[in-house]
Structure formats: C-alpha cells, structure tokens
Amino acid sequence: MITRKQLAVLDADDVLAPMRERFHLPDGVVYLDGNSLGPMPKATAARVAEVVRREWGEGLIRSWNDAGWMDMPFRIGAKIARLIGAPAGNVIVADSTSVNLFKLLGAALAARPGRHVILSERGNFPTDLYMAEGLAALLDRGHTLRQVAAADIAGAIDEDTAVVMLTHVNYHTGAMFDMAAITAAAHARGALMLWDLAHSAGAVPIDLAGSGADMAVGCGYKFLNGGPGAPAFLYVADHLLPAIRFPLTGWLGHAAPFAFEGSYRPAPGIAAGFVGSPAVISMSALEVGIDIALDAPIAGVRAKSVRQTTLFAELVEQECRGHGLVLASPREAARRGSQVCFAHPEAYPIMQALIDRGVIGDFRAPDILRFGITPLYLRYIDLWEAVAILRDVLASDEWRQERFQTRRKVT
Ligand SMILES: *Cc1c(COP(=O)(O)O)cnc(C)c1O
C-alpha cells in the first residue's frame, strides 16, 4: 500500500529536487507529457531574447562569425554527445528527426550495396516507417521496409538486411530494446544499426559508442526540453565517416560552402550531414535545455525515473482498481523507458477529462493513456495528485461528458 506520506518522504530525500526550480511550470498543472513536449526552462526566454535582440538585431550578418552561429550545430552536438555516450566530433544538430532519418537511411543503403532490406519494428513511430518507405520508393532499386514484432527483430536479420532501424524506447508502450544486444545481432549478419533516440536522450543512460551503434538520430523537444519543433541531432560512428554518402547534398554539407563551386563535394566527416542553414534561434533555445540535462547526472535521473514509473504504475493499480485500466508498458523497470502507459477502450475522453483537471498526459491511438515521467521536475507527490484525479475522473464518470468526446488535431 503506497501512501501520500511515503511519497512526501521521497521528495524530502530527492537529490534532484532543486532541478525543478529551473523550469517554468504553470500553477495547477501536473505535467506528464514531457516526453512529447518538454516544458520551458526559465532561462530560455532570456537566452532567445538575447540572440534575437543582440546577436541578430545588432550583430546582423556578422553574427554568423562573431556570435559563433556557424559553429553552434557542432558545439551543441558535442554537448548532446555527452548525453548519449558518443565522441564529441560525431554528433551534429540539424534538421528534424524525420529528415535525419532519411539522410542516415540513405547513407546506410549506400554503404551496404547489394542488400535490400530496411528492418524495423512493427509499431515503430510512424515517421520512421514512412521515411523508410519513401526512400525505398524514391531509390526504386528493390529496397523494402520489413516490419516485425519487437521480439522477432534479432532473428529476422539476414544477409539481405542493409540496416536495422529501431527506436530505442517505443513511443507507444515505453518498452526499451537492449541496445548492445540488438546492435551485436545486426553486426553479426553484416547489417548496420541505426537507433532513434527520441524517447531516450535525456531520459535513460545511452552508450552509443560502447554498444557499437553505427548511426543514431534523436529529438530536441522531448526529454531535452528544447522547445516546440526544436532541431534534432544525428550521430555517425567513425568507421563510416570516411566513405559516407548522404542522399541530401546541400551547400552546407559541401567541403567549401563559401567557395560557391558549381558541383557538390562532400565536407569531411560528420559535416557532410548538414543540408542548409542552421535554425539559430531554435538552437539557442535547445542549448538551454541541454545545459540543464548536463547538470543532472543521468544515473540519478534514471534511478528516480525507475522509482517514479514503478510507483506510478502501482499507484494507478492501487487507486483505480475496477475501472478497466490495463498496464501497457513492461512491468519490469529494466525493460521500460521513462513513461507508463495504460490501455482503456475510452482512453481518449478519459485523457481529455484529465487534461481539463490539469493532469496533462496524452492519448495515443487506438486506446493508450500515455504518461511521461520526467525526473528533472516531477515530484513524487505529483504522482499522488495525478492518480487521485484520475481515480476521480473514472469514479465520477466525468469523462463521459460530451465536450471530452471530440477528437482534436493533436492528441
Ligand atoms: C517524436 C518522434 C519523432 C519526431 O520526428 P519529427 O521529425 O521531429 O517530427 C521521430 N521519431 C520518433 C521515434 C519519435 O518519438
């Protein structure tokens, strides 16, 4: 039996508790959607204002050099590298996760000529699957996207597999792959391994280099708190860089952008992964979020996440018994990222009713209530408040109200 008092004691002992002060969190809200859009760090508004007013407003075009704008994607990439177990020179910030997937998948297929399969998980995040489908259609050389269940991935890798593309933590269930084991299985069959870290970076310890991963992408606006639509990042391991061929050949991936040559020559190393001009203002916001993540040792973040996800799942089962909620995330913490999901046939209106009461999670079709657990700013007591409101919404049938039934554009 979990009690409110027990949770208050955990808060009093929480070494990460001071991190909460660094975020703006609206009154009356328990925010359980930081895995979809992280909240705003308090320092972000001032930093963005400075970039806009001083660097852009006063510095004008000089700021590409004088304010270090051109180096930002490398500088911030090096910071992200520390969060994902990668060497500093192998990560850059660029474009969106979707576009980076396209670039890396294209490079992977070019590096494994004669192989035709992009292997992924059925139920992977749609954009990962869609980008792979689109690339295969565009190339028109017989490539296919093969989707299998998570448990069947390792066994499905064969001599025709060019690249295994997986999201480390599944967006829908929170289930987490064993990165080292799957990467080793891919390599044993000569395939490349591409990890999507959208739900991992800033949330769980990652050892890209140690696991031998060949490529990775990740998202800036989820657990890294970089702001809506924040630029994404990409990683390529050293062994691939000398011969890498990206499918998008923009001027900023050129060896000498300001030579304005008439034909493309790739920049050396990871810089060939750039396409066009970096989103300076957005990157300045992203950097604030990343600096906060670097101040919180990931082992401590993971320990608190494991404790909070476990307590949240148990608390829902304790308080909401008999209302038809079924745990849809792995019960074993080691196999789970930093979210807890419950399935319920009326998940959509239940989530809308919860949001109306200030408990913000999200709905994922067809029947998932998804709760992101973000240890940098969530208190244990917040879990208690959230579950008390969930119990109320279910017990009172509040969610049956007409206004909670209509689906909006973003769920
Ligand atoms: C959130 C997410 C994305 C987002 O891609 P965008 O291009 O930023 O919209 C991609 N992949 C996964 C697995 C995600 O969870």
Side-chain angles (χ1 to χ4, degrees):
M1 181 81 180
I2 302 162
T3 63
R4 191 175 198 284
K5 179 138 180 268
Q6 186 186 337
L7 297 179
V9 169
L10 288 172
D11 279 323
D13 290 344
D14 177 12
V15 291
L16 288 177
M19 300 299 294
R20 181 176 166 87
E21 272 309 303
R22 298 180 66 176
F23 293 90
H24 173 78
L25 296 161
D27 288 337
V29 164
V30 177
Y31 196 56
L32 301 174
D33 218 354
N35 57 331
S36 203
L37 174 64
M40 187 184 75
K42 285 179 182 166
T44 300
R47 175 69 191 129
V48 171
E50 181 185 74
V51 170
V52 171
R53 291 211 188 94
R54 191 173 60 78
E55 297 183 6
W56 180 18
E58 301 298 321
L60 295 166
I61 199 163
R62 294 169 290 194
S63 287
W64 283 108
N65 290 316
D66 297 348
W69 285 354
M70 251 338 179
D71 294 327
M72 275 176 99
F74 293 106
R75 191 182 75 236
I76 302 173
K79 290 183 179 186
I80 294 173
R82 288 160 58 193
L83 296 172
I84 59 177
N90 295 65
V91 179
I92 53 172
V93 175
D95 305 310
S96 64
T97 306
S98 303
V99 171
N100 288 335
L101 281 163
F102 185 88
K103 295 187 307 196
L104 289 182
L105 283 172
L109 296 183
R112 286 292 178 274
R115 293 180 177 233
H116 298 95
V117 175
I118 298 169
L119 181 66
S120 195
E121 179 190 1
R122 189 178 303 120
N124 193 355
F125 190 78
T127 208
D128 300 52
L129 304 173
Y130 301 165
M131 295 311 281
E133 284 179 335
L135 176 66
L138 178 70
L139 291 174
D140 197 18
R141 292 205 304 265
H143 293 101
T144 54
L145 168 68
R146 185 171 171 216
Q147 304 181 44
V148 301
D152 300 331
I153 293 282
I157 306 168
D158 64 20
E159 272 60 41
D160 203 24
T161 309
V163 55
V164 182
M165 171 191 66
L166 294 173
T167 301
H168 181 220
V169 173
N170 184 287
Y171 81 104
H172 207 246
T173 62
M176 181 162 64
F177 281 108
D178 181 336
M179 183 176 279
I182 301 274
T183 302
H187 290 169
R189 294 294 175 100
L192 293 171
M193 186 70 227
L194 164 53
W195 288 104
D196 185 333
L197 305 176
H199 289 275
S200 314
V204 299
I206 305 164
D207 186 6
L208 273 183
S211 74
D214 300 292
M215 301 172 158
V217 297
C219 189
Y221 52 79
K222 293 173 179 163
F223 289 95
L224 295 179
N225 307 307
F233 62 88
L234 63 114
Y235 160 83
V236 178
D238 275 333
H239 74 97
L240 286 171
L241 284 175
I244 195 157
R245 278 175 43 217
F246 287 102
L248 296 179
T249 50
W251 75 302
L252 281 187
H254 192 280
F258 287 89
F260 298 105
E261 294 171 9
S263 183
Y264 182 77
R265 281 191 296 127
I270 191 86
F274 291 123
V275 180
S277 302
V280 170
I281 300 170
S282 301
M283 262 193 303
S284 68
L286 171 63
E287 189 169 22
V288 175
I290 286 165
D291 285 342
I292 294 174
L294 285 171
D295 283 346
I298 192 68
V301 171
R302 176 63 176 163
K304 184 174 172 187
S305 161
V306 163
R307 201 169 222 186
Q308 288 194 319
T309 51
T310 304
L311 280 166
F312 185 79
E314 289 174 7
L315 203 51
V316 169
E317 289 176 339
Q318 171 184 307
E319 299 293 314
C320 306
R321 198 176 298 281
H323 289 293
L325 292 170
V326 179
L327 183 66
S329 299
R331 198 169 285 280
E332 191 192 334
R335 294 184 46 241
R336 190 170 68 216
S338 208
Q339 68 184 56
V340 178
C341 299
F342 284 89
H344 190 289
E346 300 293 346
Y348 186 80
I350 293 170
M351 183 53 76
Q352 300 319 300
L354 270 179
I355 293 170
D356 191 59
R357 297 272 301 264
V359 177
I360 304 182
D362 60 26
F363 162 80
R364 284 296 173 263
D367 62 352
I368 296 283
L369 293 144
R370 189 172 72 156
F371 301 98
I373 303 292
T374 48
L376 293 187
Y377 46 87
L378 264 189
R379 297 169 297 205
Y380 288 91
I381 205 74
D382 293 328
L383 305 178
W384 181 272
E385 303 301 342
V387 175
I389 290 173
L390 174 61
R391 181 193 54 211
D392 240 41
V393 160
L394 291 166
S396 65
D397 276 350
E398 201 169 304
W399 59 269
R400 288 186 194 275
Q401 293 175 29
E402 192 54 41
R403 63 193 175 117
F404 297 133
Q405 315 297 319
T406 331
R407 293 263 173 118
R408 303 183 65 192
K409 195 166 184 179
V410 174
T411 63

